[in-house]
Amino acid sequence: MKLEKLELILKKMLDGNITISARSITRLNDSPFKHASDLTRNPDRRSLVEAYQARQQELRALIEKTDKSSRTNLQARVARLEKENELLKEELELLVASHKAMLLAVGEMGGMAAWRRFFPTWEETRKQLGQLRALPAAEVTELSGRQK
């Protein structure tokens, strides 16, 4: 009688994804068992509880594998995206440094006017490059002794 009642309780707990343990069984309102030892001392009851615990672990592992939004999958995705973000930041830094060097080289060769021809909207391009800090910084100083 009690073994059948225990199996019904265990099925209900398994279906409801309620963690199965001797203590959790005794806490249920409809449980005829008042103490965990009522389950652990009896070999038949203990083996039934252990069998359902094993089944619950199998089901939870299966759910974890198949659930695309599971905690493990989300953590792995966040880690992958963080790594990708770091790589993109490094690439941006490299491109910005390279762009600054290219602009300095073109400027030294006197070709800024030619470079501007590739960008019809020069002012907008210059603003965007300034926001990216991709323009070389130059300090202009007035030389004394020169006549205008």
Side-chain angles (χ1 to χ4, degrees), residues 13 16 26 58 70 96 126-128 130 138:
M13 291 178 79
T26 61
E58 290 171 7
S70 71
V96 165
R126 189 186 60 75
K127 284 179 188 175
Q128 289 177 349

Side-chain angles (χ1 to χ4, degrees), residues 64 67-80:
E64 183 73 20
D67 187 5
K68 290 186 180 189
S69 63
S70 71
R71 183 177 186 90
T72 304
N73 289 338
L74 288 175
Q75 287 173 338
R77 185 169 184 228
V78 166
R80 189 179 71 252

Side-chain angles (χ1 to χ4, degrees), residues 121-141:
T121 56
W122 163 248
E123 286 304 316
E124 182 61 33
T125 302
R126 189 186 60 75
K127 284 179 188 175
Q128 289 177 349
L129 290 173
Q131 290 171 348
L132 290 172
R133 290 182 246 124
L135 291 175
E139 188 176 313
V140 178
T141 57

